Amino acid sequence: MTRIVALALAAVTLAACSAVPTAGPATKPTRTCAVLSVGEFYGLAHAGALRQLRRQGVAIDCVVGNSMGSVVGALYADAPAVDPVERLRALMRSYIDESKREFEQDLVKNLAAEALKKLTDGGIDLGGFRRLSHARFVRVLDAALGRRAIEQLTLPYTTFHQRKDGGGLQLITVRSGNVADAVGASVANPLIFEDVDLKTSARIDPGADRLSALPVSDACRLFPGARLIAVNVTGEPMAIAAGVSCPIQEVVVPRRPGIDRQEAAQGGPEFDRLVAEGEAAVVRALASR
């Protein structure tokens, strides 16, 4: 089933949406779900937001995330007692270590390729440190998560991806199976990974779907009546389908232009800045309640 009807409904309701919608169930929510948006490297701010929520005493009982939000969300759902920032930093360091190992395994081929690249465009890329490999990332994530299935995570977790269906796309909900495989499908984005081709990939990042960019409507459908804390790093207003009744607290992380993606991917100062922006956004949102 496509999302055309839902998108039409979202277009009608979007104008009426505020940062914190007031509609909610008659009874007090019994659980709180973190809903994490798409946003490529801006999504690193999700880790800061989750850390700050924990510091503020907000208990998260379930996690829903797409694209980069699916990555950070999976790490948190796996070990909510562990600092999500340091968990994410460790994952990125593991990716770099694995990149070095693979580069050294095929040194002659890689050196020849990099020499040619340097001659043709003046750039050099040592083992994929400037271009990220999707296949390698999924392998590293799978190892970091102990090859767990979603059913084995500490917190209930859901992610989504789009699958080609004839001439269109079908949104797929994933609530079971290998975590890294599910996250890999949700984060299959050519803006992040060089080996993702939208023309040939069977499963792709769902961010082009307006409702899935910040999947609060789907989160409410899957966890009816839950309080939703929606961390939005998309730079776009939150869209909500008609009929959503869950109380929603939106945490908006402003986008600043020109982030250093390479530095962020390597866990450098840009990584820390994005994390700090996620933390600050939570402080602002909770203070405005």
Side-chain angles (χ1 to χ4, degrees):
M1 175 179 177
T2 65
R3 297 291 285 269
I4 296 175
V5 174
L7 286 172
L9 291 172
V12 173
T13 60
L14 181 57
C17 292
S18 63
V20 185
T22 57
T27 58
K28 184 178 180 180
T30 58
R31 57 185 168 187
T32 298
C33 289
V35 184
L36 309 179
S37 76
V38 305
E40 49 116 355
F41 284 106
Y42 291 95
L44 299 177
H46 287 312
L50 289 170
R51 179 162 73 179
Q52 187 59 225
L53 285 169
R54 190 160 177 258
R55 287 176 174 173
Q56 296 286 335
V58 178
I60 300 299
D61 306 301
C62 40
V63 182
V64 178
N66 279 338
S67 193
M68 190 63 81
S70 73
V71 177
V72 180
L75 293 173
Y76 189 80
D78 178 53
V82 177
D83 184 343
V85 173
E86 294 312 313
R87 191 87 193 275
L88 182 58
R89 195 191 306 274
L91 174 68
M92 299 172 83
R93 286 173 177 163
S94 294
Y95 176 86
I96 291 173
D97 290 343
E98 181 66 8
S99 298
K100 290 178 179 178
R101 188 188 67 79
E102 291 186 9
F103 181 79
E104 291 167 357
Q105 279 185 337
D106 206 350
L107 186 59
V108 174
K109 182 176 120 179
N110 280 297
L111 286 177
E114 295 305 331
L116 179 61
K117 179 178 174 58
K118 188 173 182 180
L119 288 172
T120 55
D121 64 13
I124 188 163
D125 180 354
L126 296 178
F129 300 145
R130 294 184 185 176
R131 300 175 313 219
L132 300 182
S133 162
H134 181 265
R136 182 186 304 140
F137 178 78
V138 172
R139 289 197 304 272
V140 171
L141 178 62
D142 196 27
L145 291 168
R147 295 174 174 78
R148 287 183 183 84
I150 292 174
E151 303 93 315
Q152 296 174 304
L153 296 176
T154 302
L155 299 179
Y157 169 81
T158 306
T159 188
F160 305 84
H161 64 266
Q162 287 184 326
R163 182 175 66 196
K164 291 182 179 179
D165 182 17
L169 294 170
Q170 181 182 18
L171 189 72
I172 305 299
T173 302
V174 185
R175 307 185 77 181
S176 62
N178 180 265
V179 182
D181 181 67
V183 172
S186 187
V187 80
N189 186 331
L191 296 177
I192 302 175
F193 299 105
E194 66 163 350
D195 51 349
V196 172
D197 185 343
L198 294 183
K199 293 181 180 179
T200 59
S201 296
R203 304 182 300 174
I204 58 175
D205 186 314
D209 181 329
R210 188 70 184 84
L211 292 178
S212 294
L214 181 58
V216 289
S217 302
D218 288 312
C220 188
R221 170 177 58 84
L222 295 168
F223 300 100
R227 173 195 180 196
L228 306 180
I229 298 181
V231 185
N232 187 355
V233 304
T234 68
E236 300 291 338
M238 175 171 58
I240 306 173
V244 172
S245 61
C246 295
I248 304 169
Q249 171 78 55
E250 186 181 19
V251 176
V252 179
V253 183
R255 276 207 180 208
R256 54 184 167 82
I259 66 169
D260 188 330
R261 287 165 171 78
Q262 181 183 351
E263 190 178 272
Q266 296 186 40
E270 190 69 281
F271 174 93
D272 294 322
R273 283 189 288 269
L274 289 165
V275 165
E277 287 163 13
E279 292 184 293
V282 166
V283 172
R284 288 193 300 271
L286 295 184
S288 69
R289 286 189 300 179

